[in-house]
């Protein structure tokens, strides 16, 4: 009697008792090695990282002191790029990252890396692991929006918005609200921005001789910086200061180089791992057709 025939009565008894015959795993049913899934994991992680970087959250490295002490030199901030897709516009008091309107930053002199290194660098820039030499972004605080009249200084030396003086505890200790007097009516669709370190910030005040009197376009804004993410010792939010709060307080209603590090990549990997795990689990499940073929009488 063959071994298969000897096992047949047992299968018949199991079926008669209403039990499901125990399925024996074969080599082809075993989960696929994670090493074989690694290329797919990398591809999914890169795609998710690019989507996150483009539409949701981007991290920026701050190399200058124009926003001290709110944001220190070497800090990384997270920037919300998602809400503007729903029509949200920059508001007074928000810290925003924006593209160089033209002439605010000096162009960097590029160095040509050796062959091979150049291509690797370009690939890492593409997925957000390294900064782009072409990116020219700045970070400042919005003081006035379209329709506002921003001026300095009042009798007590404070900046005013539509005649309302601002109490600015975020200004760098020892700095005056502004050593340069100004009075500008912000055109519609534009913003008046200033750094918190007023003595070390080339902001709207320094570009009043340009078109639109130093204001920037809302369309140049990349997004709002909402938290300092790194280093951990400086981890905190960037809320709108209380001096800008209060409905009707202002008569007119509101209408530094930055580098992308590894945050989108980390989030991309975090999103890709569940996809791979689900795919592996689905592939490891027995197919109904194969399982039915093993039952007695089929």
């Amino acid at each position: 009697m063959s071994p298969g025939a000897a096992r047949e009565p047992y299968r018949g008894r199991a079926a008669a008792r209403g039990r499901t015959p125990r399925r024996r795993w074969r080599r082809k049913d075993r989960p696929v090695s994670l090493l074989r899934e690694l290329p797919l994991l990398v591809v999914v992680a890169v795609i998710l990282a690019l989507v996150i970087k483009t539409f949701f959250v981007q991290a920026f490295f701050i190399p200058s002191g124009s926003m001290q002490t709110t944001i220190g030199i070497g800090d990384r901030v997270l920037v919300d790029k998602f809400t503007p897709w729903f029509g949200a516009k920059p508001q007074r008091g928000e810290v925003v990252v924006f593209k160089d309107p033209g002439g605010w930053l000096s162009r960097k002199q590029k160095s040509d890396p050796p062959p091979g290194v150049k291509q690797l660098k370009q690939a890492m820039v593409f997925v957000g692991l390294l900064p782009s030499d072409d990116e020219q972004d700045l970070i400042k605080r919005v003081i006035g929006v379209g329709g506002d009249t921003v001026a300095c200084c009042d009798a007590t030396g404070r900046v005013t918005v539509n005649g309302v003086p601002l109490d600015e505890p975020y200004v760098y200790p020892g700095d005056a609200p502004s050593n340069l007097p100004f009075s500008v009516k912000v055109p519609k669709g534009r913003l008046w921005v200033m750094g918190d370190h007023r003595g070390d910030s080339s902001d709207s005040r320094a570009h009043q001789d340009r078109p639109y009197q130093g204001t920037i376009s809302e369309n140049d804004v990349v997004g709002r910086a909402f938290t300092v993410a790194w280093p951990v010792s400086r981890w905190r939010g960037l809320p709108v200061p209380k001096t800008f709060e209060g409905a009707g307080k202002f008569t007119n209603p509101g209408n530094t180089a930055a580098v992308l590090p590894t945050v989108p990549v980390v989030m991309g990997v975090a999103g890709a791992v569940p996809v791979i795990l689900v795919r592996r689990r689905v592939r490891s499940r027995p197919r109904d057709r194969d399982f039915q073929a093993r039952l007695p009488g089929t």
Side-chain angles (χ1 to χ4, degrees):
M1 183 181 294
S2 66
R7 288 195 296 267
E8 196 62 35
Y10 170 76
R11 293 180 181 178
R13 289 196 300 270
R17 295 173 185 173
R19 297 178 183 176
T20 301
R22 185 168 52 188
R23 178 175 179 267
R24 295 195 177 192
W25 286 90
R26 297 184 179 181
R27 187 175 186 84
K28 66 178 183 179
D29 296 325
R30 294 177 182 174
V32 180
S33 170
L34 182 59
L35 187 61
R36 295 176 58 185
E37 298 283 0
L38 188 58
L40 178 61
L41 174 63
V42 172
V43 171
V44 174
V46 169
I47 293 175
L48 289 177
L50 292 175
V51 170
I52 292 167
K53 170 188 172 182
T54 304
F55 300 106
F56 295 95
V57 177
Q58 188 170 356
F60 288 85
F61 169 74
I62 309 302
S64 72
S66 66
M67 283 299 293
Q68 288 179 311
T69 58
T70 304
I71 303 173
I73 299 175
D75 285 358
R76 273 77 167 173
V77 299
L78 296 183
V79 174
D80 172 21
K81 302 175 69 176
F82 183 67
T83 53
W85 287 93
F86 294 92
K89 295 184 178 181
Q91 301 297 316
R92 305 180 192 92
E94 294 181 349
V95 177
V96 296
V97 171
F98 57 95
K99 298 183 182 299
D100 183 4
W104 284 41
L105 289 173
S106 58
R107 294 291 173 181
K108 301 176 183 178
Q109 190 171 9
K110 298 181 181 179
S111 58
D112 197 11
V117 176
K118 180 179 180 180
Q119 286 71 22
L120 178 61
K121 181 178 178 181
Q122 289 174 341
M124 296 181 74
V125 168
F126 180 71
V127 299
L129 286 172
L130 285 180
S132 170
D133 293 335
D134 297 327
E135 285 191 26
Q136 296 281 289
D137 301 324
L138 302 98
I139 184 166
K140 307 291 179 189
R141 188 182 298 276
V142 177
I143 303 298
V145 297
D148 287 346
T149 297
V150 185
C152 191
C153 301
D154 68 356
T156 59
R158 294 178 293 180
V159 173
T160 64
V161 178
N162 302 326
V164 179
L166 301 178
D167 296 318
E168 302 183 283
Y170 47 80
V171 171
Y172 188 80
D175 274 7
S178 179
N179 290 323
L180 179 67
F182 61 87
S183 180
V184 174
K185 184 174 179 61
V186 182
K188 184 178 180 180
R190 302 190 70 85
L191 308 167
W192 177 271
V193 296
M194 300 173 70
D196 289 355
H197 193 172
R198 301 288 163 81
D200 189 28
S201 177
S202 179
D203 47 41
S204 290
R205 298 170 298 163
H207 303 282
Q208 296 183 67
D209 58 336
R210 295 180 177 272
Y212 304 104
Q213 295 181 278
T215 60
I216 68 167
S217 172
E218 291 178 349
N219 295 330
D220 288 335
V221 175
V222 176
R224 176 191 174 186
F226 63 91
T227 188
V228 177
W230 189 266
V232 176
S233 59
R234 291 181 52 79
W235 195 356
R236 62 190 184 87
L238 298 172
V240 173
K242 291 183 178 180
T243 190
F244 293 97
E245 294 178 354
K249 180 177 181 180
F250 303 99
T251 54
N252 292 333
N255 295 324
T256 279
V259 176
L260 175 71
T262 59
V263 169
V265 176
V266 173
M267 296 178 70
V269 172
V273 169
V275 174
I276 299 300
L277 293 178
V278 170
R279 182 172 180 269
R280 287 167 56 83
R281 185 171 181 179
V282 170
R283 292 185 61 177
S284 66
R285 288 179 178 175
R287 296 182 180 180
D288 293 340
R289 185 180 302 173
D290 294 342
F291 183 70
Q292 188 71 20
R294 295 187 180 95
L295 293 176
T298 59

